């Protein structure tokens, strides 16, 4: 097909719900690369209408010829529109609009991880019934084509585990705090100005956004239904510069990781701050960049790296999905790549393990009296719980109660054993305050 043929064939008409950071970026990328995109898709792609909340807001010039509306139903009901991009965010309105568009026979592209993690099972079932596609590459790790890589590129493998830095805002905050000593709130504000953060930024800092993404990754990696409620979630708001510094002295970086691991007894899904050895590539992924490390039986370890948030990187993934959907418009629905990588009737539940059943190493920090016998008491309590110690460091700086920080690294231990040991340690008269614990993964 020549470029001339492309220009005369009927364009694919697209309607966008939401023209914010991602919607605006998508319009810009579609215009700037229109010729290349049409050459790849086989047809040109034209945005004809978009819905917004504030019709008077100034928009990029690229949208001058796009009809704006406050009523998203006009877009999902428009018989001329072939593909709907859902870029509003949130779950309730987005779900209603997406289901209505599917019912009207439209294909969907969305960047909305919350929507997919919470309502994906229902949405994909509806899409399958109607023979339409719901594409969601931009929902995980921004511009990194991680969905395609796992769903298609690793289709010959059994995946053992995956671990990812999958929230750009959180990684940006941790990096700026570590490298520039900046204040948490100040960096968060900058992430919001740069368009990285969610509408509710607690989703970023409390790990909820990463848990949405991990839900999706686990589903396509292990062929299980989407089960957001089973993900154990901790955020980064309690990470202190002290722990970042001590971890660094011991040869580790603290990163906020989403981990899904298949073990004999079931599947672990957890999101939490994690010490990673400095020498691992993923420990050096900084700023808004994301990375996902996947361990699979045939290929071994593969690492996927790139920008995790922002207008154009996310638009790159949205447009790639659009191109895929345009190419698939004329294919038999039964022969398309399944939404969740596995054929819908082959998706199976695996026992989801609670965090108490997870086995990891730990970094612990506690304030202890600088006196004889303290270490013996603590190590005895560890021995009682079958916990083996890898390193102990006592720092010199005394607090106003005359206590010094004691930092301990352990070998792998069952979480429930660690909780039991910590409870007893906190009851020792020689230990003041709470024991800080951060999980440690070697990712070897
Ligand atoms: P924004 O807040 O920047 O944009 C939201 C858009 O939706 C705005 O244009 C807003 O209109 C419009 N909107 C909101 N409510 C309504 C409504 N009721 N009716 C019509 N329009 C409405 O969000 P983002 O672009 O950052 O995020 C969009 C989606 O992409 C989310 O699901 C997010 O999680 C996801 N995502 C975001 C990334 C990023 O880097 N920002 C990266 C990957 C995914 P108006 O402009 O008038 O206010
Ligand atoms: N708020 C998200 C992040 C956007 O910072 O990673 C990309 O999904």
């Amino acid at each position: 097909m020549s470029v001339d043929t492309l220009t005369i064939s009927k364009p694919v008409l697209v309607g966008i719900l939401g023209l914010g950071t991602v919607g605006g970026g998508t319009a810009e990328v579609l215009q700037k690369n229109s010729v290349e995109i049409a050459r790849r898709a086989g047809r040109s792609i034209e945005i004809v209408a978009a819905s917004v909340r504030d019709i008077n807001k100034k928009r990029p010039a690229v949208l001058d010829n796009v009809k704006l509306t406050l009523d998203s139903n006009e877009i999902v009901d428009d018989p001329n529109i072939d593909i709907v991009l859902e870029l509003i965010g949130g779950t309730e309105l987005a779900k209603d609009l997406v289901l209505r568009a599917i019912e009207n026979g439209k294909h969907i592209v969305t960047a909305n991880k919350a929507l997919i993690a919470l309502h994906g099972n229902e949405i994909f079932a509806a899409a399958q019934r109607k023979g339409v596609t719901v594409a969601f590459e931009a929902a995980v790790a921004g511009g990194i084509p991680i969905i395609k890589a796992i769903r298609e590129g690793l289709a010959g493998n059994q995946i053992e585990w995956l671990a990812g830095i999958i929230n750009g805002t959180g990684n940006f905050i941790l990096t700026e705090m570590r490298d520039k000593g900046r204040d948490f709130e100040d960096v968060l504000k900058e992430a919001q100005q740069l368009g990285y953060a969610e509408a509710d930024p607690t989703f970023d800092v409390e790990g909820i956004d990463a848990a949405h993404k991990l839900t999706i990754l686990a589903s396509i990696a292990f062929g299980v239904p989407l089960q957001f409620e089973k993900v154990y979630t901790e955020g980064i708001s309690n990470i202190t510069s002290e722990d970042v510094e001590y971890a660094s002295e011991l040869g580790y970086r603290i990163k906020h990781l989403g981990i899904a691991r298949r073990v004999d007894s079931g599947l672990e899904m957890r999101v939490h701050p994690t010490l990673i050895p400095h020498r691992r590539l993923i420990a050096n992924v900084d700023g808004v960049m994301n990375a996902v490390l996947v361990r699979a039986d045939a290929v071994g370890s593969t690492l996927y790296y790139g920008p995790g948030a922002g207008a154009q990187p996310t638009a790159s993934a949205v447009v790639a999905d659009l191109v895929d959907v345009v190419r698939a418009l004329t294919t038999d629905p039964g022969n398309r790549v399944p939404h969740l990588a596995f054929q819908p009737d082959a998706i199976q539940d695996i026992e989801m393990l609670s965090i108490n059943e997870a086995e990891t190493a730990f970094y612990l920090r506690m304030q202890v009296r600088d006196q004889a016998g303290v270490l013996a008491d603590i190590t005895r309590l560890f021995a009682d719980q079958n916990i083996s110690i890898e390193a102990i460091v006592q720092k010199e700086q005394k607090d106003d109660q005359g206590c010094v920080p004691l930092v301990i690294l352990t070998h792998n231990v069952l979480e429930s054993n660690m909780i039991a040991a910590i409870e007893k340690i906190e009851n020792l008269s020689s230990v003041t305050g709470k024991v800080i614990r951060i999980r440690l993964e070697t990712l070897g």
Side-chain angles (χ1 to χ4, degrees):
M1 186 182 282
S2 70
V3 176
D4 284 346
T5 321
L6 289 174
T7 53
I8 56 167
S9 63
K10 184 178 171 300
V12 175
L13 303 186
V14 171
I16 308 191
L17 310 175
L19 274 184
T21 304
V22 183
T26 300
E28 281 171 355
V29 170
L30 276 173
Q31 190 202 45
K32 148 173 111 159
N33 297 336
S34 61
V35 176
E36 291 278 298
I37 291 167
R39 285 174 60 210
R40 289 185 170 115
R43 285 173 63 186
S44 59
I45 297 172
E46 197 181 308
I47 303 171
V48 287
S51 65
V52 292
R53 204 170 18 193
D54 175 0
I55 214 127
N56 297 317
K57 204 185 259 183
K58 191 158 169 37
R59 310 278 166 188
V62 58
L63 296 162
D64 285 352
N65 295 326
V66 173
K67 183 187 155 218
L68 297 189
T69 173
L70 294 173
D71 182 4
S72 297
N73 289 322
E74 277 183 22
I75 292 178
V76 298
D77 291 341
D78 184 339
N80 296 314
I81 287 176
D82 306 297
I83 304 173
V84 170
L85 309 190
E86 185 284 299
L87 305 172
I88 283 186
T91 46
E92 295 322 308
L93 176 64
K95 178 187 166 198
D96 291 346
L97 291 170
V98 162
L99 287 175
R100 185 160 166 165
I102 290 172
E103 230 18 71
N104 289 333
K106 302 195 188 313
H107 300 269
I108 308 289
V109 174
T110 180
N112 191 336
K113 44 277 160 119
L115 176 72
I116 298 298
L118 269 61
H119 303 298
N121 297 320
E122 182 184 346
I123 288 171
F124 296 140
Q128 204 201 343
R129 280 195 301 275
K130 291 298 289 189
V132 297
T133 298
V134 178
F136 53 95
E137 180 66 68
V140 182
I144 309 174
I146 187 65
I147 301 293
K148 197 177 256 299
I150 296 177
R151 194 164 58 181
E152 297 170 48
L154 299 182
N157 288 260
Q158 285 196 49
I159 294 176
E160 293 163 13
W161 54 262
L162 58 86
I165 297 171
I166 46 180
N167 182 268
T169 303
N171 203 38
F172 180 68
I173 294 173
L174 286 178
T175 306
E176 291 288 303
M177 284 172 68
R178 184 196 69 211
D179 291 354
K180 301 183 187 153
R182 289 178 64 191
D183 176 59
F184 186 99
E185 291 298 335
D186 172 44
V187 192
L188 173 57
K189 256 190 213 123
E190 190 184 344
Q192 288 176 292
Q193 280 156 8
L194 291 166
Y196 299 159
E198 293 304 300
D200 176 354
T202 57
F203 276 41
D204 296 291
V205 298
E206 296 306 340
I208 301 159
D209 177 74
H212 288 145
K213 292 165 177 165
L214 187 73
T215 303
I216 299 172
L217 289 179
S219 187
I220 61 168
F222 302 106
V224 293
L226 295 151
Q227 295 168 81
F228 169 69
E229 69 288 354
K230 301 277 172 61
V231 182
Y232 172 80
T233 306
E234 267 179 40
I236 57 168
S237 51
N238 293 328
I239 299 294
T240 65
S241 51
E242 233 177 331
D243 292 316
V244 171
E245 191 186 315
Y246 294 157
S248 170
E249 286 171 17
L250 290 161
Y252 294 86
R253 287 263 170 96
I254 300 180
K255 291 290 176 189
H256 191 237
L257 285 191
I259 299 170
R261 191 193 308 267
R262 178 89 207 241
V263 292
D264 290 343
S265 49
L267 186 62
E268 292 173 8
M269 292 200 290
R270 48 195 168 89
V271 165
H272 49 70
T274 314
L275 268 76
I276 313 172
H278 196 270
R279 63 183 183 279
R280 297 268 177 251
L281 280 175
I282 196 169
N284 296 283
V285 170
D286 287 334
V288 74
M289 304 308 270
N290 279 191
V292 181
L293 179 58
V294 184
R295 176 87 191 168
D297 64 345
V299 69
S301 293
T302 51
L303 179 67
Y304 308 86
Y305 169 82
Q312 297 231 344
T314 311
S316 162
V318 170
V319 174
D321 271 351
L322 249 178
V323 170
D324 263 359
V325 173
V326 172
R327 286 171 175 155
L329 285 175
T330 50
T331 60
D332 169 15
N335 292 329
R336 294 185 189 140
V337 179
H339 291 113
L340 291 175
F342 292 70
Q343 296 298 332
D345 55 1
I347 292 194
Q348 286 170 352
D349 264 323
I350 302 177
E351 164 94 21
M352 293 288 167
L353 302 178
S354 78
I355 189 68
N356 284 340
E357 297 165 283
E359 258 196 41
T360 60
F362 277 87
Y363 160 100
L364 306 171
R365 175 171 62 80
M366 58 200 88
Q367 291 295 110
V368 300
R369 299 203 190 288
D370 194 7
Q371 66 192 32
V374 174
L375 271 186
D377 288 344
I378 292 171
T379 52
R380 181 179 40 78
L381 291 175
F382 279 142
D384 289 348
Q385 294 296 333
N386 208 14
I387 297 171
S388 158
I389 293 172
E390 168 156 340
I392 300 192
V393 182
Q394 186 176 311
K395 312 301 286 184
E396 279 166 12
Q397 60 273 42
K398 284 203 166 90
D399 65 16
D400 42 15
Q401 294 179 62
C403 292
V404 292
L406 185 71
V407 175
I408 299 178
L409 299 185
T410 74
H411 289 291
N412 269 9
V413 44
L414 197 63
E415 177 105 5
S416 52
N417 286 12
M418 180 51 84
I419 289 170
I422 288 177
E423 211 178 294
K424 290 188 177 135
I425 290 170
E426 284 175 345
N427 283 333
L428 290 173
S429 58
S430 51
V431 173
T432 59
K434 289 275 175 208
V435 174
I436 306 296
R437 72 184 162 137
I438 308 177
R439 296 173 191 83
L440 183 158
E441 294 279 351
T442 54
L443 302 179

